Amino acid sequence: MTSGYPPVPHGPAAAAAGIDLAGRTALVTGAGGGIGRACASALAAAGAHVHVVDMDAATAKAVAETIGGQAHVVDLSRDETVGELPADIDILVNNAGLQHVAPLAEFPPDRFALMQRVMVHAPFLLIRRTMPHMRARGWGRIVNVSSAHGLRASAFKAGYVTAKHALEGLSKVAAAEGAPHGVTSNCVNPAYVRTALVERQIEAQAAAHGIDAAQVVSEVLLSRSAVKRLIEPEEVAAAVLWLCGPHTGYITGASIPLDGGWTAT
């Protein structure tokens, strides 16, 4: 989809400008593609050593090899595998997620439970696991990739909206407990990002409504957004990186909309 807006700068080099994370260690979940891959690339470009966590072995290893990081093939729905991830982490990016669209009365309970485990329970375990190291060092950054759906609701997305609202609360508790120790915790809240997950939603909506993909983007996904284009993963990564930089130590417990004006209008 094209628009009259200027082109968006791409690439980790642009995102990493002016931020030095040399000597820091980061862990990014769902880092095999989309937002997670963009975050891992941006953090690595800024000098951090990045642990690339994904349940897909091929993509995790490919990203880790590209950025000089370390791959971990992990199913975040299983406590025991989460417990095998490193604890000596300075920057934690809770990004992994999944989507399912169905009316409440038809929403599969097992799918709902899985979404809470991956998007709420796993971040809880990871914060619990890494916070002691951050506190001991007197510095830490927890960035939770939430969503505009962490601030607003949409029909047919009970699992996702519930999980993202819960993640918002978890992030605020971590902010309150981490503040005396130099640890911040924030959410970034993008609307629709150009990822494989969203592309699948576009295909499903096109089939359901009998319209083409471009109409789905403009008339369904972006109907409430003032900026009429999808967000690029690198734009989300730039915000995540900024929260890890030198001028954001006083920002904690916040939810930063990256939604083209959706929640403002």
Side-chain angles (χ1 to χ4, degrees), residues 10-13 15-16 26-46 48 50-70 93-97 145 193-197 199-200 231-238 240-241:
H10 292 284
L27 186 150
V28 183
T29 65
I35 295 170
R37 177 175 59 194
C39 289
S41 298
L43 292 167
V50 182
H51 292 275
V52 177
V53 178
D54 203 282
M55 69 184 302
D56 184 277
T59 57
K61 291 174 183 176
V63 172
E65 187 173 307
T66 299
I67 67 172
Q70 183 174 348
V93 181
N94 286 309
N95 166 72
V145 180
V193 183
R194 194 186 304 278
T195 64
L197 185 148
E199 294 292 349
R200 288 193 293 271
I231 305 160
E232 301 299 332
E234 291 81 4
E235 293 178 281
V236 183
V240 171
L241 181 63

